[in-house]
Amino acid sequence: MKALFFFRYVLARLTYLVLRLPVARFQAEVEDLWGLVPNERLQRLSRILNKNQPKDAQGVAVHSLSELPDRPPMSKADLRAMSAASSTVASGFSRHTAGTTGEPTHISLSRTELAQMLAVRAYCYNKHGLKLGQREARVWGRAANSLTAKIRDFLLNRKVFYPAEDGAEETVEKLVKWSPEYLYGYTSLILEAAQIAQKKGLKPRGVKAVICTAESILPAQKKFIAEVFGAPVFEEYGSTEFDVIAFECSRGHLHLVNPWLWVEEEEDTVLITDVSRKSQSIVRYQLGDSVSLAKADCSELGSMCSIEELRGRTAQQFAYINPEQKFHAVVFGRALNTYMERTGDCFKFTVSQIDYGEFEICISIDPILGQEDFNSFLKDYLKCSLSLREEFIIKVVVREDRAAEGKHTYFIQSL
């Protein structure tokens, strides 16, 4: 078995070489850039930016990092329009966003740019004892049924599992039997797989890490997944446009890890500039997420700057008690995590705002202490943490909603 695992790993690494993607060379550059003192790294990034001179949302070239604060934010619509008008031709690699914030966006990449993305991922994995190309269980939507996709997954040493809808238990049994070295995928689907594995008494062996991406994960959920799979759980924050943006270290900090990205927090919105991108100009790009950045006293991975709180899509941020009184929906996540830590529960949930001061919370299983206790806790938590005096309604619904193909949304604003 070890010989087979090693052969498949070598085959995956050879695939990168055949595609002329110098991942190892750029991984060394990632290490080098993060090894520089902050001022030296800023100077290096400014030189790269000045050499490429990407254009901002108004089509004006940017020459240095110091110019960025005065440049207008770039929307997804701006990027689509600029890309359509550009004559720049990439080397044949492309991606498409899922369009969760509107119309899907086309991302073009050169070989160098794709290799840089893979190098950042390899750098993060290496810090946790993993190697790009090891046996990966991708807990995702349904695997593409084309011959090209099957060949790609085989060469990259990964297999796609979709533990939802009919056949979920059989899927998880196959996942465990396949003996992946790590799991990578949507938090909601990995949690679904963990719950099925626990229910079926399955004992995963040889898993070195579980990487949750695309969706937020609560500490209580992370602890449950780690216990079931017998491996540490790490959170990744990324996007189709940039791949990995931040990655969790062993101390729990979600570090910024792509050394070629300049990340800003402005008016509760994250703005990203890629100083090295040549195929497309991406300057102060509005990713559509709300994050809180902070300096962490930790140099274990990437930047000393980390994402202190990932609040999610800016379009789904606020819950309303009345037209004048609102609060950030991330409070629901804190409340649910506190409850699960107190009771030992672990479930998926979705909060929907039905009307002003009226919320429906759909949870995947009955709470151990019952719905009445759960409802009472939530009301008390919200009243205390938000100093609410006005009455509001919380309706708890227990329903095992099978995961959709795309990302799971934790808060839905239906007003």
Side-chain angles (χ1 to χ4, degrees):
M1 183 67 75
K2 288 184 178 180
L4 174 62
F5 279 19
F6 181 72
F7 169 75
R8 292 295 305 278
Y9 165 72
V10 171
L11 181 61
R13 300 300 299 197
L14 286 174
T15 299
Y16 295 129
L17 292 177
V18 170
L19 292 173
R20 292 185 288 124
L21 297 171
V23 177
R25 175 166 69 84
F26 281 114
Q27 185 179 345
E29 188 171 337
V30 173
E31 296 271 6
D32 176 57
L33 284 168
W34 286 127
L36 298 174
V37 297
N39 283 341
E40 289 182 354
R41 178 174 169 265
L42 293 184
Q43 291 174 8
R44 181 86 67 88
L45 293 188
S46 276
R47 287 198 295 270
I48 296 172
L49 189 66
N50 185 49
K51 180 180 179 181
N52 294 332
Q53 295 188 14
K55 296 179 180 179
D56 65 18
Q58 295 178 343
V60 181
V62 181
H63 301 86
S64 70
L65 294 176
S66 62
E67 296 177 15
L68 288 177
D70 298 324
R71 298 305 176 96
M74 177 181 289
S75 67
K76 293 179 185 289
D78 291 330
L79 179 61
R80 287 193 292 269
M82 292 175 66
S83 299
S86 174
S87 59
T88 303
V89 179
S91 301
F93 296 98
S94 63
R95 291 179 166 192
H96 292 83
T97 66
T100 54
T101 59
E103 183 182 344
T105 302
H106 174 78
I107 306 300
S108 59
L109 297 168
S110 66
R111 292 184 187 280
T112 294
E113 291 158 356
L114 179 57
Q116 286 176 322
M117 285 184 174
L118 292 170
V120 172
R121 182 171 295 280
Y123 162 77
C124 297
Y125 284 12
N126 185 60
K127 293 293 184 178
H128 293 299
L130 298 174
K131 293 181 180 179
L132 198 63
Q134 286 182 316
R135 199 172 179 87
E136 173 192 337
R138 179 153 291 200
V139 189
W140 214 249
R142 292 185 185 87
N145 201 29
S146 67
L147 179 61
T148 301
K150 290 178 180 178
I151 292 174
R152 178 197 61 209
D153 288 342
F154 175 80
L155 293 175
L156 295 180
N157 198 15
R158 72 187 184 203
K159 197 167 185 178
V160 180
F161 298 89
Y162 180 52
E165 301 177 357
D166 295 335
E169 293 188 358
E170 182 182 355
T171 297
V172 175
E173 289 174 355
K174 289 179 179 178
L175 186 157
V176 172
K177 186 178 180 180
W178 196 63
S179 299
E181 292 174 271
Y182 70 96
L183 279 74
Y184 176 88
Y186 288 167
T187 298
S188 56
L189 289 175
I190 290 177
L191 180 58
E192 177 80 10
Q195 290 174 328
I196 292 174
Q198 183 194 58
K199 176 184 175 182
K200 300 281 291 183
L202 302 175
K203 302 295 182 183
R205 305 293 185 197
V207 178
K208 298 176 181 178
V210 179
I211 302 168
C212 293
T213 189
E215 303 166 346
S216 298
I217 182 170
L218 301 179
Q221 294 172 330
K222 187 182 295 184
K223 180 182 178 183
F224 176 77
I225 293 170
E227 289 174 349
V228 172
F229 287 102
V233 179
F234 301 108
E235 187 174 3
E236 171 194 288
Y237 172 60
S239 70
T240 303
E241 294 91 338
F242 307 106
D243 201 43
V244 185
I245 298 171
F247 207 92
E248 187 176 356
C249 72
S250 61
R251 293 171 59 184
H253 303 117
L254 193 56
H255 294 259
L256 300 179
V257 290
N258 187 325
W260 296 288
L261 299 184
W262 186 255
V263 182
E264 302 171 80
E265 181 188 5
E266 182 176 281
E267 295 181 358
D268 218 26
T269 299
V270 64
L271 302 174
I272 300 182
T273 299
D274 191 333
V275 304
S276 66
R277 190 79 61 98
K278 294 181 180 180
S279 58
Q280 288 176 302
S281 289
I282 302 184
V283 175
R284 306 198 84 209
Y285 182 67
Q286 295 175 313
L287 199 55
D289 287 330
S290 172
V291 305
S292 176
L293 300 176
K295 286 287 183 67
D297 184 23
C298 177
S299 57
E300 186 175 312
L301 184 64
S303 172
M304 294 283 282
C305 187
S306 65
I307 296 178
E308 188 174 48
E309 187 169 56
L310 177 57
R311 295 186 287 266
R313 292 296 181 187
T314 55
Q316 296 286 347
Q317 282 190 41
F318 294 105
Y320 289 81
I321 297 299
N322 55 54
E324 287 75 39
Q325 189 176 14
K326 65 181 179 180
F327 61 91
H328 204 290
V330 73
V331 173
F332 284 112
R334 296 173 187 157
L336 269 291
N337 184 69
T338 301
Y339 183 82
M340 286 190 274
E341 286 184 335
R342 190 192 76 169
T343 64
D345 275 306
C346 188
F347 44 71
K348 299 192 294 277
F349 67 92
T350 300
V351 180
S352 299
Q353 172 129 44
I354 307 302
D355 203 343
Y356 289 115
E358 185 174 350
F359 306 95
E360 179 181 272
I361 301 182
C362 179
I363 55 179
S364 57
I365 58 175
D366 261 312
I368 293 173
L369 299 180
Q371 292 186 41
E372 187 175 337
D373 175 82
F374 179 60
N375 192 309
S376 177
F377 171 85
L378 287 180
K379 284 191 172 183
D380 290 344
Y381 184 98
L382 292 177
K383 285 181 178 179
C384 181
S385 62
L386 301 171
S387 300
L388 297 178
R389 294 182 179 179
E390 186 172 335
E391 287 300 315
F392 55 92
I393 300 170
I394 292 180
K395 179 183 178 182
V396 179
V397 177
V398 179
R399 182 174 63 242
E400 180 52 51
D401 285 338
R402 290 301 185 183
E405 286 286 343
K407 299 176 185 178
H408 178 70
T409 300
Y410 295 99
F411 178 72
I412 300 172
Q413 177 57 265
S414 301
L415 285 176

